[in-house]
Amino acid sequence: MKKEDIHLGDWQRLLLGEAPLEFLLEAALRTLVVYVVLLLVLRLLGKRSTSSSP
């Protein structure tokens, strides 16, 4: 990429870069899976800690 091609307001380049669409979809899917797993673990741990108190 040439220096002349870089612009401050080029949001597509800043957010997505030159990555292919398949890579972006895989990264989004992995992020979603990790988020759901962490959410489930936190909910299970929260229920366990509140139920054990007298």
Side-chain angles (χ1 to χ4, degrees), residues 14-47:
L14 289 171
L15 297 175
L16 302 177
E18 304 278 333
L21 182 62
E22 292 84 12
F23 172 75
L24 296 174
L25 290 175
E26 180 184 350
L29 181 64
R30 288 179 183 226
T31 302
L32 182 65
V33 168
V34 170
Y35 177 77
V36 168
V37 168
L38 287 175
L39 189 66
L40 289 172
V41 168
L42 286 173
R43 289 184 61 94
L44 288 173
L45 289 175
K47 287 182 181 180

Side-chain angles (χ1 to χ4, degrees), residues 1-20:
M1 177 175 279
K2 297 178 185 174
K3 187 175 181 179
E4 297 84 29
D5 295 336
I6 299 174
H7 303 288
L8 185 60
D10 190 5
W11 289 105
Q12 182 177 1
R13 181 188 60 81
L14 289 171
L15 297 175
L16 302 177
E18 304 278 333

